[in-house]
Amino acid sequence: MPFAVYILGILIFSQTTSEFMVAGMLPSLSADFGVSYSAIGYLISAYALGMIIGGPFLTIGLSKMPRKKALLTVTIIFLIGQTIGAIAPDYGVMMVARIITGIASAATFGVSMSIAFQLVSPQARGRAASIVLGGLMVATAAGVPFAMLFDQYLGWRSSFWAVVVLVFIATILMQYFIPTLASQGQISLKKELESFKKYSLWSAYGTSLLIIGATFAAFSYFTPILSDLTGFDPKIVPFILAIYGVATIIGNIIVGRLADAYMLSTLTIGLVILTVALVIFGLFVEIPVISVAAVIVIGLVGVTLNPAMATRVTRAAGTGTLIATVHNSAINLGLLIGSAVGGLTIDTGYGLSSPLWVGAILAILGLISLLPFIRGKIPSADVS
């Protein structure tokens, strides 16, 4: 496996840490900017909004640019946005910074995967993808907890600067170790747009949106829930989130092995377990043992359903760049909706545990979206 592939994994790890770490620093950011927890939750939504806007447009806009140059370009844009966030004097500037980094991150995911696939043989693409996207799982297991520790001992700005340093190092390594590659070529929009007429594709997008929305409605507010409602010492919460991250890594491995042969069953069972975990968490949020167990289960069956989600999309409409990018946008739209609606329920007086119930409702809707396929109403070729 080329060393360049591991560099891409480091890059995804760094940027994903930036995306998720705000969820672990709600109290600090809230106190410093003088806004509510839910307002800080909207910073997660802003990042996701940037990815939704930036993904499809930048995928097309960068298609004629050499891949290495395209990746360096979007990485520099990310560094600018992350630096603005590190020095942000107020909430408004931080919001702008999060949108910029979100847009850049959307393009980074697509271009990184394209480079990884070109660097290896077709038989090694699955392994290459697991290394690059493994950065996302490691970010939840290690990046976010370490960012929280930086926040607690050195202040939240140190966490932002740490990401700047990591991305800068990855950029230098990219310059030296990633070879100059050809452009992606002209995207056949007409051919790919034909696929968007398929109900099975939009259903797959919808289910992915609901799964991620359910997960992030809860995850975005884990820190205040665990400290304010469950009663954990704030210094313990990073370790609980680290356990959550390890669960996502384990779940990703398991789902990755099941997705090809049992895609629909994996999605269905995963959503049932996710729903039950969120409901139990909401009912017994003040009991530490149950809360930690619920967090672990959500880690096992939340974002870790990604391989099955991606498999369903490719079976519905193939592996086109635009199809994959719009799927990424759907996933981030789910993240935005989950975190935003969770924050809205807190603001409207439903309590700090209300995002857990938002997540449960979204998970149930995800199950409902699968019913036509479970009942065989859609041709089996689309869902097998």
Side-chain angles (χ1 to χ4, degrees), residues 269-325:
I269 295 171
L271 273 166
V272 169
I273 296 173
L274 180 61
T275 303
V276 172
L278 288 165
V279 169
I280 291 176
F281 198 179
L283 289 173
F284 304 102
V285 69
E286 296 180 355
I287 302 176
V289 173
I290 293 180
S291 293
V292 172
V295 167
I296 293 172
V297 174
I298 293 169
L300 288 170
V301 294
V303 295
T304 54
L305 292 176
N306 253 312
M309 289 153 46
T311 298
R312 185 180 177 199
V313 167
T314 58
R315 289 182 182 177
T319 58
T321 304
L322 188 60
I323 289 167
T325 302

Side-chain angles (χ1 to χ4, degrees), residues 247-262:
T248 66
I249 294 174
I250 295 171
N252 187 61
I253 294 171
I254 295 171
V255 173
R257 296 193 175 192
L258 296 174
D260 285 329
Y262 309 103

Side-chain angles (χ1 to χ4, degrees), residues 31-106:
D32 205 4
F33 290 141
V35 297
S36 66
Y37 283 166
S38 57
I40 300 302
Y42 297 146
L43 293 176
I44 302 172
S45 305
Y47 194 106
L49 180 61
M51 293 192 78
I52 294 165
I53 296 171
F57 290 105
L58 282 183
T59 296
I60 296 171
L62 296 172
S63 63
K64 295 182 180 180
M65 184 182 292
R67 290 180 172 118
K68 179 177 178 179
K69 183 177 179 181
L71 186 59
L72 288 170
T73 299
V74 296
T75 302
I76 290 171
I77 294 172
F78 181 91
L79 281 171
I80 292 171
Q82 186 72 10
T83 301
I84 293 172
I87 62 176
D90 55 46
Y91 180 78
V93 174
M94 177 61 83
M95 180 66 75
V96 172
R98 296 291 288 177
I99 294 174
I100 292 172
T101 49
I103 291 173
S105 184

Side-chain angles (χ1 to χ4, degrees), residues 127-160:
R127 185 181 166 204
S130 69
I131 292 171
V132 176
L133 296 180
L136 189 154
M137 302 302 169
V138 176
T140 61
V144 173
F146 273 110
M148 292 176 66
L149 291 174
F150 272 53
D151 167 42
Q152 291 179 0
Y153 292 100
L154 300 172
W156 66 264
R157 293 184 192 275
S158 67
S159 300
F160 276 75

Side-chain angles (χ1 to χ4, degrees), residues 175-219:
Q175 178 63 37
Y176 284 98
F177 290 100
I178 294 180
T180 300
L181 302 170
S183 65
Q184 298 175 50
Q186 183 65 42
I187 296 177
S188 178
L189 289 179
K190 182 177 180 181
K191 181 178 179 181
E192 290 201 52
L193 287 173
E194 286 292 320
S195 298
F196 288 99
K197 296 178 181 179
K198 297 182 177 180
Y199 167 78
S200 56
L201 176 61
W202 287 104
S203 179
Y205 285 159
T207 303
S208 296
L209 181 155
L210 291 165
I211 290 171
I212 299 302
T215 305
F216 276 89
F219 176 80

